[in-house]
Amino acid sequence: MKIDRFAVSLFATCGILLSSGCGGPAADKPAGDKPTDTPAPTTAGTTANAGAKGLKLGFAQVGAESGWRTANTESIKSECEKQGVDLKFSDAQQKQENQIKAIRSFIAQGVDVIAFSPVVETGWAPVLQEAKRAHIPVIVSDRRADVPDDLYATFIGSDFIKEGEMAGEWLVKKTGGTANIAELTGTPGSAPANDRAKGFRTAIGKAAGLKIVFSQTGEFTRTKGKEVMEALLKSPVGNTVNVVFAHNDDMALGAIQAIEATGKKPGKDIVVLSIDGIKDGFKAMVDGKLNCSVECNPLLGPNIIDAAVQLKAGKTLPKRTVVQDGIFDQSVAAKELPNRKY
Ligand code: GYE
């Protein structure tokens, strides 16, 4: 089984940096979207970030739907505390209207910088125009927003298409190119759900015998992942499924519970594959129940604070900073588990 050793070792390198105060995920040069004027932030997580102290940052978070999100929130909050940033944090409970309200309230409070992780891709232009009129720079973090470039300063996050492709490529090798797949998709309309589905289809498209026989949202939560899987396993198509591809670990962990309840063995009778690489996912790999997880690094706090400091100082940042992710399966899970930070 081939694992992306380069990416694994990249993560291991960052793991060392993390313990010595790096704190942020590896980020490479901006790819794709736009050429850049300035290099990506390089001082991620340093404690001596002059300019951070007292900076007013409004952060509109998606919610608390998953282990990934909890780690992301924790990374932002702890980095703000460490660097003395005055953080105004809002949890939108997965609702776009709540995020829009939060951004409006940040504008009204006159924060220095606004950061947010858009729950869905579309519908952001009006509120971002309001921020622009108020001369408040906006950092898009984690998920893409489908808006013109001039409405945000920088976008820091993973390449979700690539994550879906890595998952698909792993599956082609694992199955030899024949399987019936059930897909548990993320929040409808969100960038990770759209892009992971797309990347996965591109990769499995190379093997004609790999078929997606079922696809339904589990909204990125463990509870919904379990519910959807339970219903699927009771249906005739459920009997034909031998692979579950979940857009995040939490839904996969819910699906694993549903599979076990029917007496089948997840990881053996049904291959289970997901994305995020949270600790609980690694534990399930060590237990033989999850086969593979593509990493998506949530530790964006240091990069967001660095970007906010630079924006407050009037600097121009790259439009896109891509966070590098690896892929892990059962063959490396036990060795890697102690290194996991989230
Ligand atoms: O994969 C999922 C979370 O946007 C990358 O959101 C994030 C996704 C993550 O709910 O667990």
Side-chain angles (χ1 to χ4, degrees), residues 161 164-165 168-169 195-207:
I161 295 186
E165 281 171 0
E169 282 159 11
D195 291 355
R196 288 170 183 172
K198 193 171 164 192
F200 184 71
R201 279 161 180 73
T202 304
I204 66 163
K206 291 168 196 146

Side-chain angles (χ1 to χ4, degrees), residues 13 22 58 77 81 86 105 108 117 142 152 203 255 259 280 297 332:
T13 308
C22 156
K77 286 188 172 169
E81 210 177 301
D86 177 4
S105 120
S117 169
D142 157 33
Y152 65 97
I259 295 168
D280 283 356
N297 197 325
V332 293

Side-chain angles (χ1 to χ4, degrees), residues 65-69 94 117 142-143 160 163 187 192 196 219-220 247-250 275-276 296:
E65 72 282 3
S66 65
W68 190 100
R69 189 65 53 197
Q94 295 240 61
S117 169
D142 157 33
R143 301 182 179 180
F160 300 137
E163 290 172 351
T187 305
R196 288 170 183 172
E219 287 161 20
F220 280 133
H247 286 188
N248 79 344
D249 287 346
D250 285 86
I275 299 180
D276 275 358
C296 181

Side-chain angles (χ1 to χ4, degrees), residues 241-263:
V241 165
N242 41 25
V243 171
V244 172
F245 167 51
H247 286 188
N248 79 344
D249 287 346
D250 285 86
M251 292 189 293
L253 294 167
I256 284 170
Q257 289 173 18
I259 295 168
E260 284 181 318
T262 66

